[in-house]
Amino acid sequence: MNVVQKILFILLMAGLVAGCTAPAVTTLSYSGPFKLDIPIREFEGATIFHTEQLSVKTRSGALISGMALTHQTEELPQDFNLQDYPEYLFRLRSAEALSESLAEYFRNSSQETDQFYGLDNLHRIERSGYRIYSACKTEKCLALVVKKDVKDQILVLNADKLEPGSFEELINGLKDVAY
């Protein structure tokens, strides 16, 4: 083997080893712009099913569900900016300037969100192309994901019987997909 062949062989082997050590994932597609990679090792033997939401239930009973929220799914007026939805839901922005019916919708939704996930537990994360709002109370978690270049939908993820740290790791599996 000449020097060039040896270098190519070493690079090829290094690439194969790196590929073998990369974690195996399965991708859940909630809509065109929203995809989530989940590690297979943590979800081995899980059941994937779809009702109103795309869901994964692990052998241990943890449940992760999600859906793309749109104007139609929430019966919101077309002129409502969906990217503001998490701001109103988590009471970061007052809903009083909205129409009475929309303000009432967010008051009720905020109360329910506070009861199950705790508004005081809110974390807001800025990532390249995303803004993520998440809240967890014990083993119940909720995340709303706003993709900055997507105006017609946001992703809603929720989990039951999953530790907050595990939920945050799961959110890190969001893929940046061109839309």
Side-chain angles (χ1 to χ4, degrees):
M1 255 196 252
N2 67 31
V3 174
V4 174
Q5 288 175 323
K6 286 181 183 178
I7 292 171
L8 287 174
F9 178 75
I10 290 170
L11 290 173
L12 176 65
M13 292 309 292
L16 287 174
V17 169
C20 292
T21 60
V25 297
T26 281
T27 301
L28 298 176
S29 179
Y30 291 98
S31 69
F34 292 110
K35 298 183 185 330
L36 179 68
D37 283 345
I38 58 171
I40 291 175
R41 67 175 153 49
E42 293 179 26
F43 293 92
E44 188 175 337
T47 302
I48 298 174
F49 60 96
H50 188 276
T51 53
E52 287 182 15
Q53 300 186 23
L54 180 58
S55 303
V56 178
K57 186 167 188 171
T58 66
R59 273 194 249 180
S60 64
L63 179 66
I64 298 99
S65 301
M67 67 179 279
L69 184 141
T70 66
H71 290 96
Q72 292 77 24
T73 61
E74 299 304 296
E75 298 179 6
L76 296 168
Q78 286 298 319
D79 62 345
F80 177 76
N81 183 353
L82 272 179
Q83 293 192 343
D84 293 337
Y85 188 98
E87 299 275 328
Y88 291 116
L89 180 69
F90 289 113
R91 297 183 191 150
L92 299 173
R93 184 182 293 188
S94 173
E96 299 312 313
L98 300 173
S99 70
E100 183 54 40
S101 62
L102 205 49
E104 183 67 22
Y105 168 87
F106 280 108
R107 277 192 294 273
N108 292 337
S109 296
S110 290
Q111 280 183 318
E112 188 175 322
T113 300
D114 190 30
Q115 178 183 350
F116 289 107
Y117 306 105
L119 295 178
D120 293 339
N121 302 322
L122 176 67
H123 292 94
R124 184 176 165 174
I125 304 163
E126 293 282 338
R127 281 184 35 190
S128 176
Y130 290 100
R131 194 172 336 116
I132 303 168
Y133 302 80
S134 67
C136 293
K137 189 185 249 184
T138 56
E139 294 185 332
K140 285 189 162 300
C141 295
L142 171 70
L144 279 77
V145 181
V146 174
K147 190 168 182 188
K148 294 175 184 175
D149 62 343
V150 176
K151 307 288 185 211
D152 60 343
Q153 55 188 288
I154 61 175
L155 178 63
V156 178
L157 293 171
N158 51 60
D160 191 22
K161 297 183 183 172
L162 190 67
E163 293 293 325
S166 297
F167 185 69
E168 293 296 327
E169 285 178 31
L170 187 69
I171 291 172
N172 286 331
L174 282 168
K175 294 176 81 166
D176 193 12
V177 179
Y179 182 62

